[in-house]
Amino acid sequence: MSLKIVRRLLPEWGTTYGPPGDGPFPAVMVFHGSEGAWSGWSHRNAVLLAAHGFLAFPFGYSKGGNAWNAGSIEEVSLDRSVTALTALRAFSYVNGKLGVYGVSRGAEHALLLTALMYRDAVDGVPDAVAAHSAPDVVCGAFDARSYRDSGDPGWQPWDPSRRAWSWRGSSDDLMPTQPIGIEQYEGPLFLSHGTADRVWSVEMTRRLEARLKAHGRTPEVHYYEGQDHIPNSDGENDHHDHLISFLQRHLIG
């Protein structure tokens, strides 16, 4: 029996997952959320995309952490993300078409990175962008070591002075609550959200959709009725059906 999904090393960056053979294949960079790079969720999502014809790269951008601790999302260099995108697009198994997909903080990463690259005319802007449970504004830093659920005696309010992202060596223009300027991006955009999300309110995606349409954009938007931040089996199957269809149309044709 031959393997249906093959791991390949993207030199200096990490593992990819893709179909067998020499390709080349359309690529998707997968951004994890606050669960961190070690949790395995982004690798699991990459494997699912690989099963449908994509060479998927789960990009670990959180700082520190290990198998027991998610690490932090603070002063994360989006310039490094651009470098990783460039390396992925140039990978010999990639056909030059590249999308990005993120969930939660990964969705914020995907939208913000694309918006900044487009605004500043940086080469290699993604050919398609998919974001599930995305915020419509820049969010503050996250550190798993100090995270507590609301109601926990050690819970602390979000500190807006701590910044999650940096661009071109500075975080001054990426203050928390600043709108993410994805409406300037002219490429295909996929947004989705569970209407019962208890972590990131669905109203954030509704505001994103309204802002995009006010600027003449036509995003593909899906709301999953009654689904939480992590959907149930039926909700997840529905989401993946929409997501993979979107990526196939815009990266495979």
Side-chain angles (χ1 to χ4, degrees):
M1 182 184 72
S2 60
L3 291 175
K4 300 296 190 295
I5 297 172
V6 179
R7 284 185 63 177
R8 300 178 181 91
L9 178 67
L10 180 61
E12 300 183 17
W13 290 102
T15 192
T16 69
Y17 302 88
D22 295 330
F25 311 102
V28 180
M29 181 179 281
V30 180
F31 296 113
H32 61 76
S34 56
E35 77 277 4
W38 290 80
S39 71
W41 280 98
S42 57
H43 286 257
R44 175 260 204 183
N45 290 339
V47 167
L48 188 143
L49 293 173
H52 292 84
F54 301 96
L55 188 137
F57 169 43
F59 176 55
Y61 64 88
S62 56
K63 293 185 173 182
N66 51 44
W68 298 271
N69 188 287
S72 69
I73 301 174
E74 184 166 7
E75 297 286 345
V76 170
S77 170
L78 294 171
D79 304 271
R80 178 173 176 268
S81 303
V82 172
T83 304
L85 274 175
T86 301
L88 180 59
R89 198 185 289 271
F91 195 33
S92 61
Y93 292 95
V94 173
N95 67 5
K97 296 287 284 185
L98 187 151
V100 294
Y101 168 52
V103 177
S104 195
R105 294 308 298 255
E108 177 189 0
H109 192 155
L111 294 177
L112 184 58
L113 175 66
T114 302
L116 292 171
M117 290 180 70
Y118 193 87
R119 184 195 71 184
D120 294 348
V122 175
D123 289 340
V125 174
D127 298 297
V129 178
H132 177 65
S133 295
D136 58 328
V137 297
V138 177
C139 298
F142 171 84
D143 189 339
R145 295 173 300 180
S146 59
Y147 176 78
R148 299 291 185 275
D149 289 325
S150 178
D152 186 284
W155 182 85
Q156 296 179 0
W158 178 31
D159 183 353
S161 69
R162 295 173 60 195
R163 302 168 191 177
W165 316 103
S166 71
W167 177 245
R168 296 187 167 177
S170 174
S171 59
D172 291 346
D173 294 332
L174 299 176
M175 295 289 290
T177 73
Q178 175 184 324
I180 298 172
I182 193 61
E183 66 273 9
Q184 304 305 318
Y185 174 63
E186 296 180 337
L189 177 62
F190 174 101
L191 300 173
S192 60
H193 215 124
T195 61
D197 193 326
R198 292 174 291 178
V199 179
W200 296 102
S201 170
V202 67
E203 294 307 314
M204 297 190 294
T205 290
R206 296 195 195 280
R207 290 194 296 264
L208 268 176
E209 179 185 15
R211 179 149 49 90
L212 285 158
K213 289 182 175 179
H215 283 79
R217 305 302 183 205
T218 56
E220 179 177 332
V221 185
H222 299 277
Y223 296 105
Y224 307 128
E225 192 64 35
Q227 296 295 328
D228 204 341
H229 196 66
I230 298 176
N232 62 24
S233 295
D234 289 340
E236 186 171 73
N237 290 336
D238 188 29
H239 169 62
H240 286 149
D241 186 43
H242 291 305
L243 171 68
I244 290 165
S245 175
F246 168 83
L247 292 172
Q248 287 176 334
R249 279 184 278 113
H250 295 290
L251 298 181
I252 298 176

